[in-house]
Amino acid sequence: MTGDRGPATLTLDGAHGEGGGQILRTALALAVAVSRPVTITNVRARRARPGLAPQHLTAVRALAAVGNAAVEGADLGSTALRFVPRGVRAGTYRFDVGTAGAVSLVLQALLLPLALGGGPSRLTLTGGTHVPWSPPFHYLSETFLPALATIGVRAEATLRRWGWYPRGGGEVEAAIDSTPRRAIGGFVAETRETPAVVRGLSAVSRLPRSIAERQRARAAERLAAAGVAAEIAIVDGAPSFGPGTLVFLAIRGRAGFSALGRPGLPAEQVADAAVEPLLAHLASHAAVDEHLADQLVPFCAVADADSTFTCPAITLHLETVAWVVEQFLPVRVHLEAGRPARVRITRTRT
């Protein structure tokens, strides 16, 4: 791939900041969105097994497909990658993340360039929809996508089949409307909106309904004791290839909190694991939760207006995303520690 014309290749150290898959996904999504070649060294250097794992390789290949990109180093275990996009290609795509690889992380990466992609797109993604260490599907549908809708990014996602760890096999369909960049506005949310009702669900697949009932009862009891009104639906028999349980609680478009069951963990403890971070978030008076904060930054960085919002704390993930977007775009991401912390994304003048 020598002799490529266009912008100079940007080189990023994948060991920077959190040093995991987030740098990879964010950098490649931005590379496609702005048509900038990028080389990433030390891929996932801070993980126990550095290099591209299967779900990261799927993200690379998916972004290469929508970005019409030439790629070097797209192999399992690879610690260096060169990625040369040649423009976003809207269309219909299907990607298999594999076993319980996180569908949500791949969808978030694809959404940024496809939202700017010159036409509508439809995605079908298979893999893990409710797995550890990644946002569950319901975080996307109730928190992430509604937040993006307020700035003009239009996308919908539908859960066709649940994919629990470790079996996976879930299926998500997404429809993305291309949005002219000038139509994307800034995200402004400096004060926490007190929700009239926290909404959520208690779900089980291939397990007794009584588990979902116990989860809901415990969550409702704890929230009522804290003075928080809640409506928690039961999902019994969620279609899937394997067993699993979930408690998910949301302040729509602002925050979401989930916990997954596992063998030997009482239903009440699953509920506690979702309720406790929700109560901590409410006590922080932050506008958005700490995960939504870093997920919003790339979208705010391509908007035409400045953004300002508060979150509970400045996390390493947030610092890492801020660093990545500043390498690609003429923006400054100001991270102001405090209680709550404040994030400001401003255009720089060139």
Side-chain angles (χ1 to χ4, degrees):
M1 289 185 292
T2 59
D4 290 315
R5 296 181 179 181
T9 299
L10 179 65
T11 299
L12 299 180
D13 183 356
H16 185 93
E18 61 91 28
Q22 184 181 43
I23 289 179
L24 177 79
R25 289 186 298 271
T26 304
L28 298 190
L30 286 166
V32 175
V34 303
S35 295
R36 178 82 183 269
V38 63
T39 294
I40 305 175
T41 62
N42 300 316
V43 173
R44 299 185 66 245
R46 297 187 185 276
R47 297 298 181 259
R49 294 182 177 179
L52 293 175
Q55 75 175 36
H56 307 101
L57 184 56
T58 299
V60 171
R61 290 172 174 168
L63 285 159
V66 303
N68 190 25
V71 188
E72 293 176 355
D75 303 294
L76 286 176
S78 175
T79 58
L81 187 79
R82 185 165 186 245
F83 188 91
V84 183
R86 298 188 177 94
V88 183
R89 296 193 299 190
T92 300
Y93 296 93
R94 185 180 186 95
F95 301 111
D96 183 359
V97 187
T99 60
V103 164
S104 58
L105 297 177
V106 176
L107 177 56
Q108 286 179 330
L110 291 169
L111 180 58
L112 178 62
L114 288 177
L116 305 171
S121 293
R122 298 192 68 86
L123 304 174
T124 301
L125 303 174
T126 57
T129 63
H130 297 81
V131 297
W133 313 112
S134 66
F137 169 83
H138 292 89
Y139 187 91
L140 299 181
S141 63
E142 302 301 319
T143 303
F144 178 66
L145 293 180
L148 292 184
T150 66
I151 64 173
V153 176
R154 300 184 297 273
E156 296 180 353
T158 303
L159 180 62
R160 299 299 184 193
R161 185 172 57 247
W162 299 51
W164 306 96
Y165 180 85
R167 182 72 182 272
E171 183 173 289
V172 170
E173 293 181 355
I176 303 165
D177 286 339
S178 179
T179 304
R181 191 167 305 191
R182 64 180 179 276
I184 299 180
F187 186 87
V188 178
E190 295 196 63
T191 58
R192 175 174 64 80
E193 298 178 2
T194 302
V197 178
V198 168
R199 302 188 187 278
L201 58 88
S202 176
V204 294
S205 293
R206 299 178 178 266
L207 291 168
R209 177 185 173 92
S210 60
I211 295 174
E213 292 172 340
R214 287 167 55 199
Q215 291 177 163
R216 180 175 69 174
R218 175 63 166 232
E221 176 187 18
R222 290 204 56 192
L223 291 172
V228 178
E231 294 180 359
I232 304 172
I234 284 184
V235 178
D236 180 17
S240 70
F241 291 140
T245 79
L246 167 78
V247 175
F248 177 75
L249 304 169
I251 303 169
R252 185 171 175 81
R254 290 291 183 268
F257 306 91
S258 61
L260 299 169
R262 63 178 186 271
L265 184 67
E268 290 75 17
Q269 291 184 26
V270 178
D272 288 344
V275 169
E276 288 169 6
L278 168 62
L279 295 179
H281 173 75
L282 293 174
S284 77
H285 299 286
V288 306
D289 72 54
E290 63 181 32
H291 302 296
L292 185 58
D294 65 68
Q295 294 166 12
L296 283 171
V297 168
F299 293 87
C300 294
V302 300
D304 281 338
D306 295 347
S307 296
T308 303
F309 53 89
T310 58
C311 58
I314 304 300
T315 65
L316 186 57
H317 278 268
L318 178 56
E319 291 177 339
T320 302
V321 171
W323 175 76
V324 174
V325 300
E326 287 182 344
Q327 311 309 303
F328 279 94
L329 296 162
V331 300
R332 285 290 309 279
V333 183
H334 309 267
L335 305 178
E336 303 169 4
R339 297 190 179 185
R342 177 171 282 102
V343 179
R344 292 188 300 115
I345 300 148
T346 59
R347 317 303 91 191
T348 59
R349 300 294 179 255
T350 58

